[in-house]
Amino acid sequence: MPQRAADRSADPVTDDQPGAAPAAALSTGGSSAGDGSRPVAGLGTRLARLLDALWRPALLLAALFAGWWFVAEREYMPNYLVPTPGQVWETMTEDWSFLMRNTYVTLYETVLGFVLAALLGLGTAILIVYSRTMEKAVYPVVLFAQVIPKIAIAPLLVAWFGVGLTPKIVLAVLIAFFPVVISGVAGLRSTDPELLDLSATMGAGPWKTFRKIRFPNALPHLMSGLKVAVTLAVVGAVVGEFVGAEEGLGYVLLVANGNLDAALLFADLFLMSLIGIVLFAVVEIAEALLIPWHASRRGGVPLATS
Amino acid sequence: MSTATPTLTDAAVDITDLTVRFESKRSRTTAVTNVSLRAEPGEFVTIVGPSGCGKSTLLKVVAGLVPPTGGAVSLLGRAVRRPQQDIGFVFQRPALLEWRSVRKNILLQAEMRGLDRSAAARRADELIELTGLTGFEKALPHELSGGMQQRVALCRALLHQPPVLLMDEPFGALDALTREQLNTELNRIWRDTGTTVLLVTHSIAEAVFLGTRVEVMSPRPGRIVRTFPVDIPPERDYAQVMSDERFDRLATQIRGLLGAGANH
């Protein structure tokens, strides 16, 4: 983005003078690397950037919304199939506490499933990377588990664990587990072999090498995997609710469908998507906090490129 | 800190009849064969040879990262059997941790070794000043030029005051001007610290400018074909050395040797 590049490269330090360059960078202050501070854009600039990023998708969404409104209001499609935005809004406000209670259930299943999948997935990735035996034993099984259609085993899980929260959480874990393992393995394997050599000559043990080199190095990969996993976890929880449940957004969806209550169905769909979006945003924010140094997260140009 | 107390008779690095072979299912390559090399404490030995002649392997064997197939290697009088800690290692690529600032990258050495924090911090500040990185302590690696990144790698390798510094084509990826500058700085740092340096390069000029002794290697399988003592005083100025006729003579001889040994 041109304007970003412009305010970050206020004083590009491109030469290699040992004494002169740092001094020059310091004296121009502000956005040099010298004081380590990133150039902080003013609130106005940041707002402008946010608007710049948002107006296109916002316009598209507004157009879609207008189209929906038009079709529903004019009843080109019957309202029991496509409700008007007004009807959806009405249902949303009237059934607010009912919808919130069920949203909470699905959110709970999703978050718990995601967290468990993240922990189990990372653990499995570590086993695979550190042990040849485990790699040979575990990797094919993980792959095999992935190709089983999870939706197909949902009834089995309900039969095993009943209609409570457990089968939904298990399903969310099963669906979200795979991307975590794959990204974790890729991340842990991406360590520069020279860094591992270096670590050996520093006399560091495997735990220290993991903590200070391998794990932080794996974070960018891992975060991508977690972003995929969190959206999949929602799918897992909802599918679990489809098969057998007494509460949750998936259950509400079935009920609404059975009653041809399109307004409730739409309201329910909005809330499901909202869960996905909010959770994705949370992981995205975690990523921004954890790996601000990574290339994927920095907009500016390097201070010195030569 | 390093536990090494080399006695007067111990060489810093002593390699006798070293052979290294790599075997995989499909192939068997001899990287180096019958190499003998001795570096006395405080010496600056440069090893020059064509690409792929096993120079890097030689350094890795000294560091204990690659086991020898035959022959013996000792560091500061002790046989090398596992990764050595009395060394500093600089690679061709800086191999910095991109999430750590310059200062914290240098201090990695201390953290991994569990050295005293405040002493390490003082030493890091000294090295930052010595290598002209002052003002960039908090910068992240991607904000620095290649030359500056390599300076950080050098500081990291020197933090624990290693008696032996191993450098594997440390300036190979840099432009000529930066390279000259860093050569001059390395010469000064070597004189200041008194550390023994083993530096691998494919630049004849660099080998002669930096070395108190130049070892010339043949193409793979690498052997040492000849040793040239460099009788230019240790304190060296780039322009002066380049126009020195002793430099010219040595460089020409080495070039002739490498040209004759090469297969292309």
Side-chain angles (χ1 to χ4, degrees):
Chain A
M1 254 163 254
Q3 67 270 57
R4 242 192 249 177
D7 52 42
R8 288 226 177 177
S9 61
D11 54 348
V13 182
T14 39
D15 73 353
D16 232 290
Q17 288 296 318
L26 269 188
S27 61
T28 40
S31 55
S32 76
D35 51 22
S37 66
R38 293 204 188 270
V40 180
L43 193 63
T45 333
R46 267 197 278 177
L47 211 64
R49 259 186 227 158
L50 194 67
L51 283 177
D52 184 60
L54 284 184
W55 73 266
R56 274 162 281 226
L59 202 66
L60 183 64
L61 278 178
L64 286 173
F65 186 79
W68 168 34
W69 199 317
F70 186 72
V71 169
E73 211 62 67
R74 288 290 193 89
E75 296 205 43
Y76 290 125
M77 300 275 273
N79 274 154
Y80 68 86
L81 291 181
V82 180
T84 65
Q87 288 167 331
V88 175
W89 177 251
E90 224 167 83
T91 309
M92 197 78 108
T93 45
E94 272 171 18
D95 297 338
W96 182 248
S97 64
F98 167 75
L99 283 170
M100 274 307 104
R101 203 170 57 241
N102 286 291
T103 305
Y104 174 75
V105 170
T106 304
L107 184 67
Y108 179 79
E109 293 161 356
T110 305
V111 170
L112 206 60
F114 169 67
V115 169
L116 286 174
L119 293 175
L120 283 173
L122 183 60
T124 310
I126 293 171
L127 280 182
I128 287 172
V129 169
Y130 275 87
S131 152
R132 290 288 294 166
T133 322
M134 287 309 278
E135 182 191 354
K136 283 183 178 152
V138 172
Y139 216 51
V141 176
V142 169
L143 200 69
F144 180 67
Q146 174 60 13
V147 297
I148 300 174
K150 245 66 73 192
I151 295 165
I153 55 170
L156 191 65
L157 291 175
V158 173
W160 284 353
F161 300 109
V163 288
L165 295 183
T166 320
K168 289 87 182 173
I169 294 166
V170 171
L171 206 61
V173 171
L174 285 177
I175 286 194
F177 175 71
F178 192 66
V180 182
V181 176
I182 295 298
S183 62
V185 169
L188 290 170
R189 286 231 173 104
S190 73
T191 316
D192 187 343
E194 289 180 342
L195 274 172
L196 296 179
D197 276 352
L198 206 61
S199 173
T201 68
M202 291 171 174
W207 168 238
K208 239 180 187 174
T209 308
F210 176 79
R211 204 159 47 91
K212 298 208 182 264
I213 297 175
R214 285 195 104 147
F215 182 67
N217 186 70
L219 273 177
H221 275 100
L222 193 63
M223 292 312 293
S224 318
L226 289 179
K227 278 194 264 184
V228 177
V230 81
T231 54
L232 289 178
V234 187
V235 177
V238 169
V239 166
E241 288 167 356
F242 276 174
V243 175
E246 283 154 349
E247 50 183 352
L249 289 178
Y251 164 76
V252 173
L253 199 76
L254 283 188
V255 170
N257 212 25
N259 298 340
L260 283 182
D261 187 348
L264 182 62
L265 206 144
F266 268 59
D268 193 80
L269 276 176
F270 276 127
L271 290 171
M272 275 182 194
S273 326
L274 199 65
I275 290 181
I277 291 170
V278 167
L279 290 179
F280 186 85
V282 168
V283 179
E284 183 85 28
I285 290 167
E287 184 188 64
L289 294 175
L290 278 170
I291 52 166
W293 45 269
H294 191 250
S296 66
R297 296 226 67 97
R298 35 176 213 252
V301 290
L303 274 168
T305 40
S306 69
Chain B
M1 252 321 116
S2 68
T3 49
T5 44
T7 62
L8 282 175
T9 51
D10 283 333
V13 177
D14 197 353
I15 304 171
T16 335
D17 270 340
L18 175 74
T19 299
V20 182
R21 262 193 298 274
F22 294 110
E23 283 186 50
S24 66
K25 277 175 195 155
R26 272 167 296 156
S27 65
R28 190 173 146 159
T29 14
T30 305
V32 290
T33 179
N34 292 324
V35 168
S36 294
L37 191 156
R38 200 178 146 94
E40 303 302 333
E43 256 194 307
F44 197 130
V45 179
T46 54
I47 302 158
V48 63
S51 303
C53 71
K55 308 179 295 258
S56 303
T57 309
L58 198 63
L59 287 194
K60 286 199 171 176
V61 172
V62 175
L65 297 168
V66 168
T69 315
V73 181
S74 68
L75 185 77
L76 307 159
R78 280 174 288 112
V80 171
R81 288 210 182 81
R82 32 186 223 96
Q84 296 296 300
Q85 295 178 35
D86 290 327
I87 54 164
F89 212 130
V90 182
F91 302 97
Q92 179 170 1
R93 288 179 304 122
L96 301 176
L97 302 180
E98 49 174 329
W99 56 91
R100 283 180 169 234
S101 68
V102 164
R103 197 160 186 278
K104 287 200 161 164
N105 257 297
I106 298 171
L107 285 170
L108 178 76
Q109 184 79 259
E111 287 171 32
M112 297 298 256
R113 287 169 186 268
L115 303 182
D116 176 65
R117 272 168 189 272
S118 61
R122 271 198 307 280
R123 171 82 178 143
D125 290 335
E126 274 170 37
L127 286 167
I128 285 169
E129 201 179 323
L130 187 69
T131 51
L133 285 167
T134 311
F136 287 95
E137 292 92 339
K138 287 181 182 160
L140 291 175
H142 74 89
E143 297 170 316
L144 303 176
S145 68
M148 277 154 67
Q149 290 184 10
Q150 204 53 288
R151 285 194 178 95
V152 179
L154 182 60
C155 290
R156 182 181 59 192
L158 290 170
L159 187 81
H160 53 303
Q161 295 174 294
V164 175
L165 181 62
L166 304 175
M167 306 182 85
D168 185 0
E169 299 191 28
F171 312 130
L174 304 178
D175 61 277
L177 275 176
T178 310
R179 195 171 183 154
E180 279 174 26
Q181 244 169 34
L182 281 169
N183 278 343
T184 310
E185 277 176 42
L186 181 59
N187 175 265
R188 182 167 45 86
I189 289 166
W190 163 66
R191 284 184 283 111
D192 282 0
T193 55
T195 176
T196 314
V197 185
L198 235 62
L199 180 139
V200 154
T201 175
H202 52 233
S203 155
I204 296 170
E206 187 168 88
V208 177
F209 174 75
L210 286 170
T212 51
R213 183 148 58 87
V214 180
E215 305 276 358
V216 181
M217 280 182 84
S218 70
R220 182 167 288 204
R223 285 170 300 111
I224 289 182
V225 257
R226 230 176 119 181
T227 301
F228 293 93
V230 183
D231 60 347
I232 303 172
E235 188 171 347
R236 294 173 191 181
D237 171 85
Y238 208 85
Q240 236 166 42
V241 171
M242 289 302 134
S243 55
D244 195 306
E245 59 142 7
R246 286 171 294 189
F247 172 87
D248 268 346
R249 211 170 37 237
L250 265 176
T252 313
Q253 270 182 298
I254 294 169
R255 191 163 290 118
L257 207 55
L258 284 173
N263 295 330
H264 48 78

